[in-house]
Amino acid sequence: MQDRKFAIVTMTTFGYKPNPLRIVQLSISKLRSEYYETIFTTNINPEERIPNYIQERTGLTDSILLKAPTFSDVANTILQELENHILVGHNASFLHYALQSEFKYLEYSFKIPQLCTIRLAKKLMPNMTSYELPYLSSVLNIPFTPFNDLEEYSNAVDILLQRLIQLDDEDVISKFLAPKVEKEHFAPKNIQYQKLNTLPNVPGVYRFQNQSGETLYVGKAKDIKKRVLSHFYNSSEKEIALCDATFHIDFETTGSELIALLREADLIDKIDPPYNYIQKKNYITYHIIPQKNKKGILQLKIERRPFAHSPTEIFLRRGDAIKRLIQLTEKFKLCPLQTGLKTKLGRCTHGEYNECDGVCTGEEEIGSYNHKVENALDYLNNENDNYIIFEKGRTKAERSFILILHGVYQGYGFIDNSQSFSSIEDFKDMLDSKKHSYHTAKIISSYRQRNPWKIKPLFTVQE
């Protein structure tokens, strides 16, 4: 037992399975000497409004969480703290699913071993009236008052785990943590296994094709061979149908997972393969748009619209749009009432955002205020980031690059390590132009949040 490292995880979430869950509070505790101590605890900004029941239960508000870090801000810390540890929790599968939901948005596949104190208690203490934490705490004399205090909840789970370990004479925990036996490979129906075995173990995209060479499915992989083989020992009906219809497998190496993701999105958009389901949905994005009210005041509002190929800034989450609207309100001294950040009637008061010049009470001329709004819109549409991302190439002698101008994905290319560039036009000459889409915007946004140090700004852009 001493060689196992346990990380006790407690959290506050909203949302319901099987939909994505949002985490607003998180705590991680680890064993220090003989006691578990809180190593990391934080509020998390879910980038959307929280339900009333969460506010009543925790005392948290949208204003409090707006100042907290987002999940992407703390994602690396969470991964570092949980690395080489077993996730322990009261209903550990729920906690694991919540973390998976958050990491999935960042395009990261999260999976670690888990140990559930509910399941363990059922095995070691059968025939209990209940296995809820308040009841187990009372039976085992564990200090616990169910007031939704994350630290107290975490302490109770910590002590419960230690009590259960003391009861585990037959090493039940080892059976719970035993790795599942992997399924054996089975022979593909229409392809020689030897051909599959020659696929490369590198990042890239692959295409499953029918007897006529038509593409049935496009996928991306960190390891092409490993990912393709996983299709052939997956027992789901969809996977079996896909593999039975496949006669050929084509692939394309990309050097990096980021290029693989972008290339996959590009191919699915162009080919529309019948077995790719997720990227065919009509996704909704958020836009900041102007609208005049009855007084002629130019207001800004957030609107949900289907994604459109446009050089204007789009937001994948409402929370991202709100952040941008706050930035515009503060930078251009706009009225929070006219940007929808405040709803109380009357004059704006100095506080959470800024004190406006009085368009809300007639002290500022409407024409003057509308000019500020127009400047804000010009900034929104034309001052988006211009940057380049460098990644690994397909060989050691090259590297890849991804170009973004005014917030719009332009495409990617491969360059020799010895090449030097003096202007953006040099990169454009080597660029394989691609379409800016919802999926490429999401891929790049997630990558940027996870790898901010890899973003290279372009201060001078030649159109």
Side-chain angles (χ1 to χ4, degrees), residues 411-429:
Y412 61 83
F414 297 92
I415 55 177
D416 192 284
N417 286 331
S418 62
Q419 288 179 276
S420 60
F421 297 88
S422 58
S423 73
I424 195 64
E425 294 300 326
D426 293 337
F427 285 104
K428 286 184 176 180
D429 290 340

Side-chain angles (χ1 to χ4, degrees), residues 326-337:
I326 291 172
Q327 181 193 30
L328 294 174
T329 300
E330 294 176 343
K331 184 177 181 66
F332 293 93
K333 209 174 181 182
L334 304 181
C335 174
L337 289 174

Side-chain angles (χ1 to χ4, degrees), residues 5 28 70 79 91 157 207 213 216 291 322 330 343 358 431:
K5 296 180 180 180
I28 300 174
T70 63
L79 290 174
N91 196 353
V157 177
R207 290 190 276 184
L216 302 173
Q291 179 177 289
I322 292 173
E330 294 176 343
T343 57
L431 186 72

Side-chain angles (χ1 to χ4, degrees), residues 59-73:
L60 295 173
T61 64
D62 292 322
S63 297
I64 292 173
L65 292 178
L66 196 62
K67 300 173 184 176
T70 63
F71 188 84
S72 63
D73 294 331

Side-chain angles (χ1 to χ4, degrees), residues 200-206 220-224 251-263 390-402 412-415 447 454:
N201 297 101
V202 296
V205 293
Y206 57 91
K220 73 88 190 173
K222 292 181 182 178
D223 183 319
I224 294 175
F251 67 88
E252 180 181 335
T253 63
T254 59
S256 75
E257 186 184 10
L258 175 59
I259 300 289
L261 282 164
L262 294 170
R263 182 59 174 153
F390 290 104
E391 267 289 350
K392 293 179 181 179
R394 296 159 297 186
T395 66
K396 291 183 179 180
E398 71 173 13
R399 56 179 172 162
S400 59
F401 71 91
I402 298 94
Y412 61 83
F414 297 92
I415 55 177
Y447 180 91
K454 290 189 176 182

Side-chain angles (χ1 to χ4, degrees), residues 231-242:
H231 287 279
F232 287 92
Y233 54 79
N234 189 311
S235 58
S236 71
E237 291 184 9
K238 290 181 181 179
E239 291 285 5
I240 291 173
L242 170 62

Side-chain angles (χ1 to χ4, degrees), residues 110-130:
F110 176 83
K111 187 175 183 180
I112 66 170
Q114 51 189 286
L115 179 64
C116 180
T117 49
I118 294 178
R119 289 186 60 213
L120 188 58
K122 287 181 178 179
K123 188 71 175 178
L124 298 175
M125 299 188 300
N127 304 318
M128 296 288 283
T129 303
S130 171

